Amino acid sequence: MLVPPSTDVGALPRTPTSFNYQRLDDRHRQATMNKEYELPSEKYLYNWTSESGLELAEFLEKYKPALIRNDANNSRPYIWITNLIESKEGVNYEELVKEADAIVKDTTIKVAEIQNNDEIPIRANKKKGLKSKKEVRETIQADGATALKNVAIKHGFVGGKWIVFVDQTQVNSVFGKMAKSLVSGGLSHTSVSSLRVSTVPFADTEEGPVHRHLIEVYFPNVYDEDMAREVMRVLLRDHGLKISGAKPSLYTAVGLDSKHPSGIPSTVWKGSGGDGSLFSVSEVQSLRDAYYKPQDGEQTTGQQQEDDGDSKDTGVSAVGEKTKTAITVKNRQDNNPFGSDDEEAEGTASNPKKADVAARKKKKTDPSSQKRPLSASSSDAEGEPPKKAVKRSSEPKKREPPAHVPKSMLEREK
């Protein structure tokens, strides 16, 4: 097992600055004491190896990350699956951490000076050849990352891990399938040596939001593009994971994360694709789609995804299927293309108002109930002879006398 020597944090060089480095030193001390960048000891209960005495399936059933809570002593922070043990003999951890920590502190000081330097403009001025604060800052941070890489290569400590975050509701199935892949699946054909998943934090409460678990996939050389790409491809294609990035173990040793004041990127490869990644955005999406796409023309249902117990069963497909079904049923009720006239009649017979509305609609849409214009064209269209137009007289029509009036009275009026 790897047991790095203790590092005297107080002996590290300090440079006067307005930044408080106590937090950085605490991170460094904690990383060294917890040995986060090495394999667990042989006595660690939550580590599976081929010599554990338990079958992998039994181990995964017994130790589920979503059900195991860490304690105040941090005695069970991770669950490990160890396939290969990397040899790190000859690594001088004291010198390694000392040099890396000095680089991180120097970068932090330079970044702070850039921010406080009023001579460096916020926006670049191409006419005057002036770079913006952001451009100058990123140059310093890139130099710091390169210096850390050189230190890692110098001391032979170039290992790292791909990082994935999974919700607590899915972590048991996702980690279980990754563990099986490492032992006898796709990951077993790569350089991956081990993987680990975080347990439920000690301070986490049931009333709080759903916890996200950290899964780390370890491989020997994070700076080897071909090696890192091979592992990334399997994680995307065989597991459909959304990867955050690849982080060197050296960064963990010195407490370098995404919120560090130095601003050095916490990963050397991005998992989303594009700039800073080993695949393009379209390639990442294509590999993930290949995992979710049904194989051999089989149709994947929400129930099948639940049975698989994998990251496929995120609930998205199942929810989408339910929503689609609900919409279809609603539309079928409103306008049933397979309904018959008899069904409509039965539905309206018991309701006079509906029957009246249905009759009016039918009358409005029935061609035979609509009035035809009195024209030759309309008559010709029906195959009838054209009707003659009636000529009306311009003289007013005389009114006929009532039948009961005697003729004598009519003669008098005349």
Side-chain angles (χ1 to χ4, degrees):
M1 291 294 102
L2 306 177
V3 182
S6 59
T7 304
D8 184 5
V9 180
L12 295 176
R14 293 180 178 274
T15 306
T17 177
S18 58
F19 271 92
N20 183 4
Y21 281 102
Q22 186 61 39
R23 184 184 178 191
L24 176 62
D25 291 340
D26 289 343
R27 288 179 179 175
H28 172 211
R29 186 181 293 106
Q30 183 181 11
T32 305
M33 292 176 64
N34 292 343
K35 305 178 183 63
E36 293 181 356
Y37 51 88
E38 64 164 355
L39 293 175
S41 65
E42 295 178 355
K43 296 181 179 180
Y44 188 65
L45 181 63
Y46 304 94
N47 177 35
W48 183 91
T49 67
S50 57
E51 302 177 356
S52 297
L54 280 177
E55 294 293 332
L56 178 61
E58 296 179 69
F59 179 86
L60 294 172
E61 183 65 26
K62 186 175 182 180
Y63 303 112
K64 296 182 178 181
L67 302 179
I68 297 178
R69 186 179 297 275
N70 197 7
D71 56 17
N73 297 323
N74 197 32
S75 62
R76 45 179 180 269
Y78 298 98
I79 297 174
W80 286 80
I81 304 295
T82 306
N83 195 30
L84 298 172
I85 298 178
E86 299 178 31
S87 176
K88 295 296 181 183
E89 296 180 3
V91 177
N92 190 332
Y93 289 97
E94 184 175 2
E95 289 297 322
L96 168 70
V97 175
K98 183 177 180 179
E99 292 181 26
D101 192 55
I103 294 171
V104 172
K105 287 186 175 182
D106 181 61
T107 304
T108 305
I109 294 171
K110 291 180 178 178
V111 168
E113 291 175 347
I114 293 171
Q115 291 298 107
N116 299 327
N117 190 343
D118 296 334
E119 295 181 0
I120 303 176
I122 298 177
R123 295 180 178 82
N125 191 327
K126 294 183 179 180
K127 292 182 178 180
K128 297 182 179 180
L130 298 176
K131 294 183 178 181
S132 65
K133 287 182 180 292
K134 182 176 182 292
E135 292 173 331
V136 177
R137 187 172 62 247
E138 288 178 346
T139 300
I140 297 299
Q141 292 163 347
D143 292 342
T146 302
L148 288 173
K149 177 181 177 180
N150 294 334
V151 169
I153 294 174
K154 171 185 173 183
H155 291 275
F157 193 71
V158 292
K161 62 260 187 175
W162 282 107
I163 296 174
V164 181
F165 289 95
V166 182
D167 288 343
Q168 188 172 6
T169 56
Q170 303 295 330
V171 67
N172 292 341
S173 58
V174 173
F175 182 71
K177 189 160 188 178
M178 292 177 68
K180 295 174 183 177
S181 176
L182 175 60
V183 175
S184 59
L187 287 175
S188 65
H189 300 294
T190 67
S191 58
V192 174
S193 59
S194 59
L195 58 90
R196 72 179 184 180
V197 60
S198 62
T199 55
V200 180
F202 172 68
D204 198 23
T205 59
E206 295 181 0
E207 293 77 13
V210 177
H211 175 69
R212 298 187 72 198
H213 291 256
L214 169 67
I215 298 179
E216 296 171 305
V217 183
Y218 286 81
F219 58 104
N221 192 344
V222 73
Y223 296 107
D224 188 323
E225 292 190 24
D226 293 335
M227 185 182 294
R229 185 183 292 106
E230 177 190 34
V231 178
M232 183 180 179
R233 179 183 286 107
V234 174
L235 294 177
L236 294 170
R237 183 192 60 205
D238 293 6
H239 299 275
L241 297 173
K242 189 174 182 180
I243 306 172
S244 295
K247 182 175 182 178
S249 295
L250 178 59
Y251 285 18
T252 304
V254 296
L256 185 61
D257 57 19
S258 59
K259 298 179 181 179
H260 196 277
S262 67
I264 297 176
S266 59
T267 58
V268 294
W269 305 115
K270 294 181 180 179
S272 56
D275 295 338
S277 180
L278 298 170
F279 291 99
S280 65
V281 175
S282 60
E283 287 174 332
V284 169
Q285 189 61 46
S286 177
L287 288 169
R288 294 190 71 211
D289 289 345
Y291 171 74
Y292 287 100
K293 184 179 180 180
Q295 300 295 326
D296 298 329
E298 296 180 359
Q299 187 173 5
T300 304
T301 63
Q303 183 62 38
Q304 288 175 340
Q305 290 183 354
E306 291 178 4
D307 295 340
D308 290 341
D310 187 318
S311 60
K312 282 184 180 181
D313 53 356
T314 55
V316 176
S317 299
V319 173
E321 187 68 24
K322 290 179 181 178
T323 306
K324 184 178 180 180
T325 304
I327 294 173
T328 305
V329 171
K330 182 179 179 182
N331 293 340
R332 192 180 299 137
Q333 291 174 351
D334 294 342
N335 185 17
N336 186 358
F338 305 102
S340 63
D341 295 337
D342 296 337
E343 291 175 353
E344 293 182 4
E346 291 173 3
T348 57
S350 59
N351 193 331
K353 291 185 178 180
K354 289 185 177 180
D356 183 49
V357 172
R360 278 186 288 174
K361 286 184 178 180
K362 188 173 182 181
K363 185 176 180 181
K364 187 178 292 186
T365 57
D366 189 2
S368 61
S369 62
Q370 296 180 2
K371 294 181 180 180
R372 293 195 303 263
L374 296 176
S375 62
S377 59
S378 62
S379 300
D380 293 340
E382 297 293 336
E384 298 177 358
K387 296 181 180 180
K388 296 181 179 180
V390 180
K391 187 176 181 181
R392 295 184 179 182
S393 174
S394 57
E395 298 179 358
K397 188 176 181 180
K398 295 181 179 181
R399 292 175 57 187
E400 294 292 336
H404 64 276
V405 179
K407 292 183 178 181
S408 59
M409 293 183 64
L410 294 174
E411 291 177 357
R412 289 177 190 171
E413 290 179 1
K414 292 179 180 180

